[in-house]
Amino acid sequence: MSMDWEKVREVVNSHLDQQSSELYRVNQALHGNPELAYKEFFAHDTISSFLEKQGFTVQRKTYGLDTSFEATVGSGGRLVIVCAEYDALPDIGHACGHNLIATSSIAAFLGAAYAMKTLGINGRLRILGTPAEEGGGGKAKLINAGAFSPSADVAASIMAHPITKHAIGGISGLAALDLIASLKFRVEFKGKSAHAAGEPWNGTNALDAAVGAYNNVSMLRQQIRPEERVHGVFEVGGTVPNVIPDYTRMNWYVRAPTTEQGEKLQKRVHACIDAGANATGCTYNYIVAEPYKHVVSNPGLCETYVQDMAKIGEDVLVKAPEPFTASTDMGNVSHEVPGFHGAFAIPTEPDAALHSTKFAAAAGKPEAHECAMKSAKGMAMLALRVIVDDGLADRVRQDFESGNAV
């Protein structure tokens, strides 16, 4: 269908400007009540109630997850899913700015839905609450439960993440925040307890197994590629010094630019861990979590977003010269359906970084909210263009099926 996109933009932007103060209240409520993975009950209820007051029918506790929700408008035609994140980090709250992700995603949904209703645009638009991004793999569980099923004819899945302005050279944002793969697992070591002073020869030291594994991996780090990462912590290390530990547990992340490269590196890490257990005579067991796959940024989606952001005076690059060495379960989604994982820059102190108390503070400021709202305007237009424009939708699908990425 022929569409006056300037008219559409005017409708979207005007509506979001009117909604901004209400959305800021939601933003602040989430920021002031940070919740951990799969425990985002306040966020789930706050966002669901807000959408219901806006006139949308909200399904709560969807796909078997107590803190997921969804609301859909339209019937027939292509479906665009806007993903909303809202979990926080232990002790430091919204230090990854998921209150802003939720705000921008809700706003994108509101703006696009209003334009569809006002201008008679046919198609389907959905906002999906995706809990537990911070290590819980919520989107992987949603994928397994059918939230992105091929039968749903999902034309695109979109969201944007806040980032420090100085990290990307002071520009407004990126269309492709290409994050790398992260393979996650725990390992348990089991030995035999004994009195550490009276009869140490009767014990099998599970702490030594874990320490040996850690030291082996530390040596491996000298021989891995610069873009690869391995990091781990001791979650259980024993009880008291005079009892030889019979049980220890470690938590490990292995990261690489692609999932395949990460799998190769993980085999080397496992060899280091196996050696630590074998040297001490301990048995061991791997507890494997869902991997976070690398993000595949769709060229058609990214280029369209850049063009629409330019229309509102925002300087957005298609992608950064190098991928950021962090990971997201949105990567998993981008392997299932065409994906857009953008970034919008927020003002912070010069030494602020993601996952820090300074970034958490910046994520609660009015200036950060304004940045989220600008990104929402671009995402609303992106969703509408995919729904309406057959040529763009075909290109997006072809890029996805052929594995093209920006």
Side-chain angles (χ1 to χ4, degrees):
M1 62 182 293
S2 177
M3 185 63 61
D4 182 350
W5 289 109
E6 291 307 315
K7 175 63 176 179
V8 175
R9 182 176 294 105
E10 180 183 333
V11 170
V12 168
N13 292 356
S14 176
H15 186 64
L16 290 185
D17 288 342
Q18 293 172 9
Q19 294 288 334
S20 184
S21 60
E22 290 294 323
L23 285 163
Y24 183 62
R25 278 190 273 274
V26 174
N27 175 359
Q28 290 298 285
L30 300 184
H31 189 266
N33 295 274
E35 298 168 299
L36 302 183
Y38 298 118
K39 299 184 184 298
E40 314 97 327
F41 302 109
F42 176 84
H44 169 274
D45 292 346
T46 298
I47 299 170
S48 296
S49 296
F50 172 79
L51 290 171
E52 287 167 348
K53 289 178 181 178
Q54 292 279 330
F56 299 101
T57 299
V58 179
Q59 294 182 333
R60 303 187 184 212
K61 300 182 179 181
T62 53
Y63 302 101
L65 300 179
D66 286 342
T67 53
S68 177
F69 66 86
E70 70 176 21
T72 306
V73 296
S75 61
R78 289 183 289 271
L79 170 64
V80 172
I81 299 177
V82 183
C83 293
E85 297 175 2
Y86 33 83
D87 62 322
L89 290 157
D91 302 324
I92 53 177
H94 278 292
C96 206
H98 289 193
N99 61 303
L100 297 173
I101 295 175
T103 301
S104 62
S105 293
I106 297 167
F109 175 76
L110 292 182
Y114 182 78
M116 291 172 70
K117 178 181 178 181
T118 303
L119 302 174
I121 297 174
N122 295 320
R124 293 175 295 153
L125 178 71
R126 176 175 299 157
I127 183 167
L128 175 64
T130 62
E133 189 278 336
E134 294 291 356
K139 294 186 190 65
K141 290 188 176 182
L142 288 167
I143 289 169
N144 294 337
F148 301 91
S149 169
S151 63
D153 189 25
V154 182
S157 182
I158 66 176
M159 62 164 283
H161 198 295
I163 195 170
T164 59
K165 190 175 284 285
H166 59 78
I168 53 175
I171 61 172
S172 300
L174 302 170
L177 183 59
D178 284 339
L179 302 187
I180 65 178
S182 177
L183 285 72
K184 307 163 186 283
F185 63 90
R186 287 177 167 85
V187 59
E188 298 176 307
F189 300 97
K190 297 179 181 179
K192 180 183 177 183
S193 64
H195 196 293
E199 48 179 12
W201 50 85
N202 286 330
T204 304
N205 198 316
L207 179 58
D208 282 347
V211 170
Y214 189 91
N215 288 337
N216 290 342
V217 174
S218 293
M219 289 186 286
L220 172 67
R221 287 192 183 104
Q222 299 177 74
Q223 269 71 55
I224 65 175
R225 296 186 61 84
E227 68 275 11
E228 295 175 336
R229 299 287 188 274
V230 183
H231 27 269
V233 295
F234 293 79
E235 292 186 327
V236 180
T239 54
V240 293
N242 64 342
V243 176
I244 289 176
D246 64 351
Y247 177 82
T248 57
R249 187 176 70 244
M250 306 180 78
N251 192 356
W252 289 95
Y253 288 4
V254 176
R255 302 186 198 255
T258 68
T259 310
E260 293 75 18
Q261 187 176 337
E263 289 170 348
K264 292 178 181 179
L265 178 58
Q266 182 174 247
K267 289 180 181 178
R268 299 173 68 191
V269 173
H270 280 189
C272 295
I273 293 170
D274 297 350
N278 292 331
T280 57
C282 289
T283 60
Y284 58 101
N285 174 57
Y286 288 104
I287 305 169
V288 180
E290 285 278 2
Y292 281 23
K293 297 181 179 180
H294 65 279
V295 174
V296 179
S297 295
N298 187 278
L301 295 176
C302 291
E303 292 168 15
T304 302
Y305 177 79
V306 168
Q307 293 164 10
D308 274 310
M309 290 298 284
K311 294 289 187 179
I312 59 172
E314 295 298 296
D315 182 16
V316 175
L317 290 180
V318 170
K319 67 180 296 183
E322 298 292 337
F324 289 80
T325 49
S327 307
T328 175
D329 57 4
M330 189 64 178
N332 298 49
V333 176
S334 73
H335 287 256
E336 299 292 322
V337 298
F340 172 84
H341 185 253
F344 55 90
I346 67 170
T348 64
E349 294 185 35
D351 59 344
L354 286 171
H355 289 207
S356 71
T357 55
K358 289 184 177 180
F359 192 88
K365 298 290 180 62
E367 296 84 355
H369 174 76
E370 292 303 318
C371 296
M373 292 299 297
K374 290 176 182 177
S375 178
K377 292 175 178 178
M379 287 194 292
M381 290 297 296
L382 176 61
L384 292 167
R385 286 185 185 276
V386 174
I387 288 171
V388 172
D389 189 335
D390 292 337
L392 174 61
D394 288 344
R395 181 197 169 186
V396 166
R397 174 56 59 176
Q398 289 169 9
D399 282 339
F400 172 73
E401 292 179 350
S402 61
N404 291 340
V406 297

